[in-house]
Amino acid sequence: MSNKLAKIPAMNVLLQGASDQPWFEESTEERIKQFIQEEVDTRRRQLLQGEDVSIEVQDILAGAQQKLAAFNQFSLKAVINATGTVLHTNLGRAPLAKAALDAINEIGMRYNNLEYEIDEGQRGSRYSHMSDVLIELTGAEDALIVNNNAAAVTLMLTALTKGSEVLISRGELVEIGGAFRIPDVIESGGAILKEVGATNKTHLKDFENGINDNTGALLKVHTSNYKILGFASGVSDEDLVTLAHKHHLPAFNDLGSGLLIDLQHLGLSYEPTVSEAIKAGYDLVTFSGDKLLGGPQAGIIVGKKKYINILKKHPLLRALRTDKVTIAALEATFREYLDPEQAIKSIPVLQLIQRTPEQLLPEAEKLRDGLNNLGFDLETEIGEDFSQVGGGSYPAEKIPTIIVAISSPQLNAAGLEKALRLSDAHIITRIRDEKVLFDVRTLMDGDREIIIDTFNTILSKC
Ligand SMILES: *Cc1c(COP(=O)(O)O)cnc(C)c1O
């Protein structure tokens, strides 16, 4: 062993060998040297521990090349979502519409009027860009865009209710995920949380009895990621708003997903839209850009000018502001909604949700046939199942879908799932009953061919 230690090739020899390799051009000499050094150090350590490892130049270089290849991979990369969950928070929520991508291209690569009044030739505000469109779409007096809906709620409560009590129904103390809890947000902004009613039932008189001289606002939080069923009821929007205004208090509504158009004709159950919340009289309504809206990550606040103006002047806004790329994509997404018929065709999230089992079946059959034609005697079975909307929207909704369930005599389900995930295409699937499931709802154009190719690569190696 010590003999081998003494024979580890010198760095200049290894570098010389590397310079003859095609991958030598893929990075700087300095970085390649660093990966070779790491490889040598590992092998030296292993030898010292009594393991027998190769110290051949070609083996050390192969190790360095692997390190380089791993380093050269982007961290954020495209994946194929075969889970059927349309708004998968771990998989980037909403895929963007073409119009949004075109806007990112146009604005991202050029100078733009982010904070410039072209008419006046002077400094402008980044917060004014899509107010007109949002006013048109929601019926609100004004609008403000921030980093995400969590930021929208935080800004709203910090700027408008600091030091006073915020009344909220016990049934709406939502945890959104990632430890974002409404009670914590209220308190982190310096307001005092005052829960009223019971978990399953809150009555108007509970709010009425909760109001005192130190009340700052009434808050409604849409329970977007759970449903309380059975002996349950809440206070209507109209009653809550009327009560707030009778006491000269503002009423706020955190809508979560923020639907701009009613989706019942696409087969989904009723969810309140943003314009309904505005019409009900809420002073401010907040929602996400990358949930059912189908746009980039953003938080949208719409409502009364008098409150939006206060938010626009609050120092916290600077820390929560959005970038030009987000504004470009969001404005393009909103503009699709100016024609709702257009929106349900051009916004990917809405397209994916409305796909029916009848439309999905031929897709599933093409996937099954393509896999069977590879000749690896895979077991492929088409079946009915349910997709989820995801992203904390429509928690109780199960959308009928078509799946292809696959098992292989060469690889067990866990092995297949892992090989698909680690492949160049990064195909994300689910396992059930020792089978790998492909829900065809969330497959995008071109995914099927890539999936079939990937199976071919994986199974050829088994
Ligand atoms: C999702 C959600 C949020 C958080 O929105 P993000 O855009 O993810 O920050 C806040 N409130 C409700 C009710 C939600 O559903």
Side-chain angles (χ1 to χ4, degrees):
M1 217 58 73
S2 57
N3 196 19
K4 250 188 174 177
L5 270 174
K7 285 187 183 156
I8 292 177
M11 180 54 85
N12 61 348
V13 174
L14 289 163
L15 258 185
Q16 181 60 46
S19 69
D20 295 335
Q21 304 287 331
W23 49 266
F24 193 71
E25 301 303 320
E26 286 169 16
S27 196
T28 62
E29 182 174 330
E30 200 176 346
R31 190 167 297 116
I32 287 174
K33 191 172 164 186
Q34 176 196 324
F35 289 135
I36 295 175
Q37 188 64 56
E38 285 174 16
E39 196 59 32
V40 167
D41 291 346
T42 309
R43 283 163 199 261
R44 177 174 291 125
R45 227 176 5 255
Q46 285 170 317
L47 288 173
L48 283 170
Q49 284 166 2
E51 286 173 54
D52 189 21
V53 289
S54 162
I55 53 158
E56 296 296 323
V57 172
Q58 63 189 40
D59 293 330
I60 295 173
L61 291 183
Q65 183 196 355
Q66 268 187 12
K67 287 194 158 77
L68 176 66
F71 178 80
N72 278 349
Q73 278 220 2
F74 271 60
S75 169
L76 184 61
K77 44 200 163 203
V79 307
I80 290 180
N81 176 9
T83 66
T85 300
V86 177
L87 291 168
H88 201 304
T89 297
N90 301 149
L91 304 183
R93 285 198 186 157
L96 297 180
K98 177 157 187 314
L101 293 171
D102 289 347
I104 289 174
N105 248 327
E106 166 76 11
I107 296 304
M109 290 178 70
R110 304 177 65 89
Y111 293 102
N112 52 70
N113 64 335
L114 181 64
E115 292 188 351
Y116 187 71
E117 284 285 352
I118 292 175
D119 289 348
E120 319 289 331
Q122 63 190 25
R123 190 175 200 284
S125 164
R126 73 171 63 215
Y127 303 111
S128 63
H129 283 289
M130 44 200 121
S131 305
D132 292 353
V133 179
L134 273 166
I135 290 165
E136 174 72 21
L137 287 171
T138 67
E141 288 176 13
D142 204 358
L144 179 62
I145 311 294
V146 291
N147 181 56
N148 56 11
N149 190 29
V153 176
T154 304
L155 176 65
M156 174 172 81
L157 295 178
T158 306
L160 299 170
T161 61
K162 198 175 186 137
S164 58
E165 292 178 357
V166 173
L167 267 54
I168 179 173
S169 157
R170 281 207 168 84
E172 298 174 359
L173 298 170
V174 182
E175 170 170 319
I176 309 303
F180 178 83
R181 287 185 174 158
I182 289 295
D184 299 338
V185 175
I186 295 173
E187 287 175 349
S188 77
I192 301 146
L193 172 72
K194 188 150 173 186
E195 303 167 24
V196 302
T199 304
N200 58 332
K201 285 210 176 208
T202 300
H203 305 281
L204 190 63
K205 67 172 190 303
D206 296 322
F207 276 101
E208 204 151 19
N209 294 339
I211 294 175
N212 62 34
D213 288 348
N214 194 28
T215 304
L218 306 193
L219 175 66
K220 159 107 186 169
V221 177
H222 184 52
T223 58
S224 48
N225 55 7
Y226 64 94
K227 266 199 155 50
I228 299 177
L229 302 173
F231 187 62
S233 67
V235 176
S236 79
D237 290 328
E238 284 73 11
D239 286 350
L240 191 77
V241 166
T242 305
L243 177 68
H245 292 171
K246 194 173 100 189
H247 291 270
H248 307 289
L249 294 168
F252 303 142
N253 189 339
D254 170 12
L255 263 185
S257 222
L259 277 185
L260 286 181
I261 51 179
D262 190 341
L263 296 182
Q264 287 179 88
H265 67 293
L266 302 184
L268 290 165
S269 52
Y270 172 77
E271 284 272 305
T273 64
V274 179
S275 36
E276 281 170 335
I278 292 293
K279 209 185 236 160
Y282 282 105
D283 297 276
L284 291 177
V285 176
T286 75
F287 55 101
S288 288
D290 57 354
K291 290 186 179 171
L292 277 168
L293 190 71
Q297 180 192 301
I300 297 105
I301 310 171
V302 292
K304 304 264 165 72
K305 228 182 173 66
K306 120 177 179 205
Y307 294 110
I308 300 263
N309 281 340
I310 298 172
L311 302 189
K312 282 183 177 170
K313 290 192 196 105
H314 196 276
L316 186 58
L317 178 60
R318 174 67 191 236
L320 306 177
R321 74 184 193 178
T322 41
D323 168 58
K324 59 182 178 291
V325 169
T326 301
I327 294 175
L330 195 59
E331 179 171 1
T333 307
F334 279 132
R335 284 186 181 277
E336 295 295 293
Y337 280 96
L338 291 170
D339 177 357
E341 299 278 322
Q342 164 72 17
I344 59 170
K345 289 195 205 113
S346 63
I347 307 271
V349 167
L350 302 184
Q351 277 178 329
L352 298 177
I353 287 175
Q354 64 188 296
R355 299 170 98 182
T356 61
E358 292 70 36
Q359 292 165 341
L360 294 169
L361 183 58
E363 294 301 313
E365 286 170 344
K366 281 185 223 163
L367 177 60
R368 176 198 61 192
D369 296 346
L371 292 171
N372 286 342
N373 288 341
L374 291 174
F376 289 103
D377 48 77
L378 283 169
E379 266 184 53
T380 55
E381 195 186 324
I382 288 183
E384 292 175 2
D385 200 14
F386 295 100
S387 311
Q388 291 189 337
V389 177
S393 318
Y394 288 100
E397 200 87 5
K398 291 172 133 196
I399 328 173
T401 193
I402 303 291
I403 55 162
V404 184
I406 300 167
S407 57
S408 158
Q410 291 168 263
L411 263 179
N412 66 14
L416 186 55
E417 182 277 332
K418 186 175 177 192
L420 290 163
R421 180 159 43 82
L422 298 184
S423 70
D424 289 342
H426 306 294
I427 303 164
I428 313 299
T429 57
R430 289 178 295 150
I431 296 178
R432 190 168 60 209
D433 299 335
E434 272 304 301
K435 291 190 168 119
V436 174
L437 306 187
F438 283 76
D439 183 334
V440 290
R441 174 178 305 282
T442 44
L443 298 186
M444 319 278 282
D445 277 351
D447 282 357
R448 184 180 67 242
E449 292 79 0
I450 298 174
I451 292 167
I452 295 168
D453 278 352
T454 304
F455 264 92
N456 195 24
T457 309
I458 292 170
L459 298 173
S460 303
K461 283 192 217 148
C462 287

